Amino acid sequence: MVKADFVTGLALILVSLFVVFESWRMPRLEHLKVHPLSVPGLVPAFLGIVIFLFAVILVIRSVLAGGHRLALSIQATPRLLSQPGNQRLLVTAVFSIGYAGFLVGSIPYGLATGLFIFAFMVIFEWRRGMTRREYLRLGLAAGILAVGTSALVTWAFESLFLVTLP
Amino acid sequence: MAVLLENLNQFLSAIAGFLTPLALFHVSWSTLLGIIIGALPGLTATMGVALVTTLTYKLPPDLAILILICVYNGAIYGGSRSAILLNIPGTPANAATTLDGFPLARAGLAGKAMGIATSGSVLGSLIGMFFLATVAPLLGNYALRFQSFEFFWLAIFGIVISGHLTAMEDPMKGWIAGFLGLLVAMVGQEGIHAYERFTYGSTDLLGGFALIPAMVGAFGFAEVMSVMRSPAAEVVQEARDSIIPKLGEVFRYWRTIIRSGLIGTIIGIIPGVGEDIAAWVSYAAARRKSPEREKFGKGSVEGLMAAETGNNACVPGAIIPALTLAIPGSAPAAVLLAAMFIHGVRPGPMIMVESPQFVYQVVAMVFFSTLGMLIFGLTLTKPLLWVLAVPRTRLMPVVFVLCAIGSYAITQRTFDIWVMIGFGIFGYILRAMKYPMAPMVLGIILGDILDKNLRRGLILSDGDLTPFFTRPISLVLWLVTLSSILLSIEPVRRAAQRVAEAVWPRRLREEGG
């Protein structure tokens, strides 16, 4: 965790410096004769400074605990990816972002939703050495869940809540 | 006395107002849905309330808030099912429940454990409801004295206390999460001069990040990823004994019930802390006071009762500051607060002036949700077991579909889907690095309050900082805030302990002297 804290601390220092810089650049609105202490950049600058202080403490603390010795290596990546939990996480993230970020809005909503649910279920329930019967059962279950959910959600949001679907 | 009678009268009128077939229908399905959401590991109360908010847009405000409170209360209770049967808390609020609930189930007393959890949740909810009815009007009237100086400190106090209590091992991570939430709230048009901050020409960012998509992401998408990453859980226990609790067994622990109810409510009132801390503190207090403390962690009925009473008492407790100060007591209460604004209800100090009857309507909503919890909790044992058996590979894609469409449905912008995705990834990373989510959510809500009130206060005092530190309420708030920060520094805490020991020795404290 100390290594993660070190990296987070550095990232937070960058973010806070950016926020303070941007706050400084915000207009003082002198031409509107506004009170100098009501300027828009005041509170973001205050927050930026507080986060900067926390981030510096985080970095110092992690350096004292040896967190700056990151020891990054290319070899660690395949090891991380070979862990089943990380593989499931990666597939979930890719499928979910692919569906919500790209598929929705590009093809009809019901179709996108059905495809996502079908693919999600099949990829996670598929096992090596499944019999033909098991394949059929999985395909059927995934198909029913995909069609049922897609139809129900589309109907509920479109007809019941009067939402124009993407 | 006259005030109490007047309060009771308002409460009974509110109860009568909801005694319609439509309202009772909504109470039934939403409480049941809440219990199911809570029971399913990975679906939290916050996520449930956020998702169901998107289904209530077209409903009148009273019914919409009724549904959300039923989901909220039901979910906190429902989490005890998986805690008892799977040894996995359905929501973070039920983590303390696993300590004694699961050993009871393993000993073949799953039915008894579920009955005790139901009794504790119902009684806790009723205790919290009592304080909601009595404290909220008082706090609402008192809050009318608050000015910009007090609201500024209230925002900082909320972030610091929430950060401290939700990240006990490393409070600084809680504070960082809270201040990041405040920073997120700075994006968009500010409320005094209408200047566009951090928008960089994007019209989507003009209104800032909407709270519901952000919450759905941080609690929904992040949870979906988290559940899929962890190994699959299996139902290892089932109830063979009776779930109907014996009254004698329940009321034997009346001291624990009242203590846990009080602790839960008080923790609920503290901004942004929430039900999980309420359960842990109630559990720890019960263990300290119990003559059977050696049984705790090995299947203690008292421990289970304390945890479940504490977390459900926290629900009405968390609604108290949300209603009267527009500052939520927990993460689900934050979504509830956002939902109130969406439905045109204006919580805050003016609520006791503008719509005092709404406060009693909320009390009645808690009452109906408690009733629903009792009925469904004691009758639907088998169907809830089936729900627990639904594989995550079938549940999670459906949950994510709801996350996406729920975020989109509010303003019908695909931008909000990206907000949900962004906050989901951000929330997952923060959680993996032990940054609590509750202070961040509180920060997003309090950002606007902090921004406007710091600047207004400075204008009112013409740049003089003295009123921020000398007005009585401000003085208390900044002193508590500063103490919380200082006491998290190890040498300062040790010095404070030495001073406390010198002034009031432990021996005297234990003797009650």
Side-chain angles (χ1 to χ4, degrees), chain A residues 5 8 18 22 27 35 37-38 40 43 58 61 85-86 88 92 96 101 121 124-125 161 164-166, chain B residues 55 58 170 173 193 195 197 200 228-230 393-394 400 405 408 412 418 433 435 451 455 459 462-463:
Chain A
D5 285 351
T8 317
F18 171 76
E22 285 292 282
H35 195 289
L37 288 168
S38 76
V43 178
L58 198 64
R61 219 174 56 174
N86 289 343
R88 284 195 301 270
T92 305
S96 305
M121 193 175 146
F124 280 110
E125 292 196 12
F161 310 131
T164 311
L165 292 172
Chain B
L55 309 179
K58 304 286 169 188
D170 191 355
K173 289 194 171 177
H193 304 299
Y195 176 73
R197 290 191 292 216
Y200 304 105
M228 291 309 294
R229 187 172 187 263
S230 23
T393 49
R394 298 177 187 196
F400 185 73
I405 192 66
Y408 169 83
Q412 303 186 22
W418 280 107
M433 291 193 297
Y435 288 83
D451 181 34
R455 292 193 284 157
I459 296 170
D462 203 19

Side-chain angles (χ1 to χ4, degrees), chain B residues 145-341:
Chain B
R145 298 183 199 175
F146 284 29
Q147 287 190 10
S148 295
F149 313 102
E150 284 78 18
F151 272 109
F152 165 74
W153 277 118
L154 203 57
I156 298 286
F157 168 84
I159 294 298
V160 170
I161 298 294
S162 166
H164 197 152
L165 293 180
T166 54
M168 295 288 258
E169 284 174 21
D170 191 355
M172 203 173 70
K173 289 194 171 177
W175 300 332
I176 289 177
F179 277 90
L180 282 176
L182 290 172
L183 201 57
V184 167
M186 293 298 113
V187 176
Q189 217 167 46
E190 48 93 22
I192 294 185
H193 304 299
Y195 176 73
E196 297 161 20
R197 290 191 292 216
F198 305 108
T199 56
Y200 304 105
S202 159
T203 46
D204 285 322
L205 283 174
L206 269 183
F209 293 110
L211 186 74
I212 299 287
M215 299 278 273
V216 168
F219 288 90
F221 183 31
E223 200 65 53
V224 167
M225 288 193 281
S226 183
V227 168
M228 291 309 294
R229 187 172 187 263
S230 23
E234 282 174 26
V235 181
V236 290
Q237 305 293 338
E238 56 178 302
R240 291 193 192 90
D241 58 329
S242 169
I243 192 174
I244 309 290
K246 293 187 184 99
L247 280 182
E249 199 164 42
V250 172
F251 289 107
R252 193 182 142 201
Y253 299 109
W254 64 272
R255 279 196 187 89
T256 305
I257 294 168
I258 293 174
R259 189 193 314 112
S260 307
L262 271 170
I263 291 173
T265 310
I266 292 168
I267 289 184
I269 295 172
I270 301 171
V273 178
E275 294 78 14
D276 44 345
I277 306 292
W280 282 117
V281 176
S282 304
Y283 185 83
R287 185 180 185 159
R288 218 170 23 243
K289 295 278 176 190
S290 174
E292 305 170 331
R293 70 188 71 168
E294 72 286 348
K295 286 188 185 168
F296 276 65
K298 296 171 192 154
S300 159
V301 171
E302 192 178 2
L304 175 61
M305 181 73 88
E308 278 303 305
T309 308
N311 63 18
N312 268 92
C314 185
V315 173
I319 298 174
I320 295 174
L323 270 180
T324 53
L325 298 167
I327 291 176
S330 67
V335 191
L336 189 67
L337 181 66
M340 285 183 192
F341 282 116

Side-chain angles (χ1 to χ4, degrees), chain A residues 61-76:
Chain A
R61 219 174 56 174
S62 54
V63 167
L64 291 177
H68 60 293
R69 294 187 204 100
L70 291 173
L72 294 174
S73 73
I74 287 288
Q75 288 82 4

